[in-house]
Amino acid sequence: MNLETVNTTLWVIIIGMALVTYIPRLLPLVALDAEKIPPVLARMLRNIPYAALGALIFPGILGIHDQLWYGLVGGVVAVGVAYTGAHLIVVVLSSVAVLSALAVLL
Amino acid sequence: MKTKMEDQATGQPTLPGFFQGLQSGLSIAIGYMPIALAFGLLAKNTGISLAHTVGMSLLVFAGASQFMALGLLALGTGAVEIVFSTFIVNIRHMLMSMSINEKAIQESTLRRLIYAFGITDEVFAVASTRDGVVGSNYLYGLGLMAYSSWVINSGIGYAAGSALPEAFQQGMSIALYAMFIGLLLPSVKKYRKALFLSGTAALLNAGLVTFFPAGWAIIGATIGAVGLLELVQSSRKDRTKEDGDES
């Protein structure tokens, strides 16, 4: 393939990726009428955030480094700081600070 | 809380909602920084142009699938496979949009068309753990903050990523997880339900991810945990013959 073809192919790929990413984000917002959703389903939808957060955190957090304990330490710091009721940004920055320091020591 | 909802439902102050969104988006912006920098750096190493790199962040705005696309491009995979795996990874957003749809005030289709673009894992997590309902202006601010950080830092990463100290790059890899934990913990402290749901979903995900692609594992774990809670609650209700909802 010459450079021109590669260039165009890449844009086609990017636009294809954009479409298949946007459509799932959009579809429920335009196709579902929140007023008409049965109460059981509505309650389940409101429970999704907690479940999704759990799945987004674990086990992904262990995979940020070859050493499992590295992510674990970061998680423990985040839980500890968040438990005190600190602001979200403080939670994020303290974990980053502790893990950056650990990375220097390693 | 009731007055808060009324304020937002009558929708009188439109600007404050937008600025509240920008403010809530700050932790996402910080969390995206290292990931977007890494994406830019990796894109450069893959050999694609700056325009393609920033273009992908501008048009796709989905971290995991953009990294995957780079990996597949490096392997010389075809366009169809790249687009299809992007779809597989991002279909989980459908579940998140359904949940946001339940949480958001009903507004015009045009507004939904716009904020739908910004529904990432992190935007969903911040918006859905917020008290009360959310409006489109709030979602605009939140999405814009996250989006700007993602796009700008992708470009910076491409241009200068390798100049960042290694230890900092590594420490930053915890940022998004720390944010998820920070969002989840207040609810876990308050509601036993949140502890059950997040714990169950985490364990289910750990099991599922060994067999399925990560996007599907997250969907399965989320639906599984929500469904399990329904089962537990309904069987308990049957036994004690309680009526009335306990939420």
Side-chain angles (χ1 to χ4, degrees):
Chain A
M1 277 196 288
N2 64 40
L3 211 64
E4 192 67 17
T5 334
V6 172
N7 187 40
T8 314
T9 311
L10 257 176
W11 281 117
V12 170
I13 290 175
I14 290 170
I15 289 164
M17 288 174 70
L19 287 176
V20 299
T21 305
Y22 182 54
I23 292 169
R25 284 172 175 169
L26 178 68
L27 218 56
L29 290 173
V30 291
L32 288 180
D33 186 349
E35 317 271 298
K36 285 185 192 142
I37 293 177
V40 180
L41 186 60
R43 183 175 64 226
M44 290 173 79
L45 288 173
R46 281 194 297 270
N47 282 338
I48 281 180
Y50 308 118
L53 279 169
L56 286 170
I57 295 166
F58 190 82
I61 193 167
L62 300 178
I64 63 167
H65 195 278
D66 299 336
Q67 304 288 326
L68 292 186
W69 62 263
Y70 190 75
L72 201 62
V73 171
V76 169
V77 172
V79 169
V81 177
Y83 200 82
T84 65
H87 192 278
L88 192 57
I89 293 175
V90 179
V91 176
V92 172
L93 293 181
S94 357
S95 321
V96 170
V98 169
L99 287 203
S100 299
L102 265 177
V104 173
L105 296 174
L106 280 179
Chain B
M1 187 155 124
K2 200 182 168 200
T3 49
K4 202 177 189 176
M5 284 173 71
E6 277 169 4
D7 277 359
Q8 286 184 4
T10 53
Q12 2 144 336
T14 49
L15 272 183
F18 179 73
F19 286 111
Q20 278 170 28
L22 286 180
Q23 200 184 19
S24 304
L26 199 60
S27 34
I28 305 181
I30 294 172
Y32 277 178
M33 212 173 99
I35 321 263
L37 288 171
F39 171 73
L41 181 63
L42 199 65
K44 190 181 184 180
N45 293 340
T46 310
I48 71 173
S49 71
L50 176 64
H52 285 123
T53 305
V54 177
M56 197 191 283
S57 288
L58 265 172
L59 295 173
V60 181
F61 188 31
S65 56
Q66 290 184 222
F67 275 100
M68 208 175 55
L70 290 183
L72 293 174
L73 280 172
L75 292 172
T77 315
V80 175
E81 284 161 274
I82 296 177
V83 173
F84 185 70
S85 34
T86 301
F87 177 68
I88 299 292
V89 171
N90 289 336
I91 198 161
R92 70 181 185 282
H93 291 136
M94 217 157 156
L95 208 58
M96 300 181 182
S97 277
M98 281 172 83
S99 179
I100 290 283
N101 193 39
E102 193 48 39
K103 172 102 178 162
I105 313 166
Q106 284 297 297
E107 284 173 285
S108 73
T109 307
L110 178 67
R111 284 178 172 261
R112 281 178 274 165
L113 281 169
I114 299 169
Y115 70 66
F117 177 78
I119 299 178
T120 61
D121 295 347
E122 296 74 20
V123 167
F124 154 78
V126 170
S128 64
T129 50
R130 194 175 157 81
D131 281 336
V133 291
V134 292
S136 55
N137 287 317
Y138 175 79
L139 291 167
Y140 287 170
L142 187 63
L144 184 66
M145 191 60 151
Y147 185 53
S148 315
S149 168
W150 182 249
V151 174
I152 293 168
N153 286 307
S154 299
I156 295 177
Y158 191 95
S162 49
L164 280 174
E166 180 117 3
F168 182 62
Q169 286 185 41
Q170 230 162 56
M172 282 292 244
S173 61
I174 194 73
L176 287 180
Y177 293 104
M179 189 182 83
F180 289 142
I181 290 172
L183 287 170
L184 180 61
L185 216 79
S187 307
V188 165
K189 273 167 77 180
K190 255 188 286 177
Y191 316 113
R192 275 200 7 234
K193 181 178 91 171
L195 180 64
F196 176 87
L197 285 165
S198 55
T200 308
L203 291 177
L204 282 175
N205 190 39
L208 289 173
V209 83
T210 55
F211 301 104
F212 303 100
W216 287 104
I218 289 177
I219 294 180
T222 304
I223 294 178
V226 169
L228 204 63
L229 180 70
E230 282 301 311
L231 280 179
V232 170
Q233 282 183 335
S234 67
S235 72
R236 198 180 286 167
K237 234 175 247 172
D238 284 349
R239 238 179 289 135
T240 56
K241 293 269 184 252
E242 261 179 7
D243 31 21
D245 200 0
E246 64 208 70
S247 69

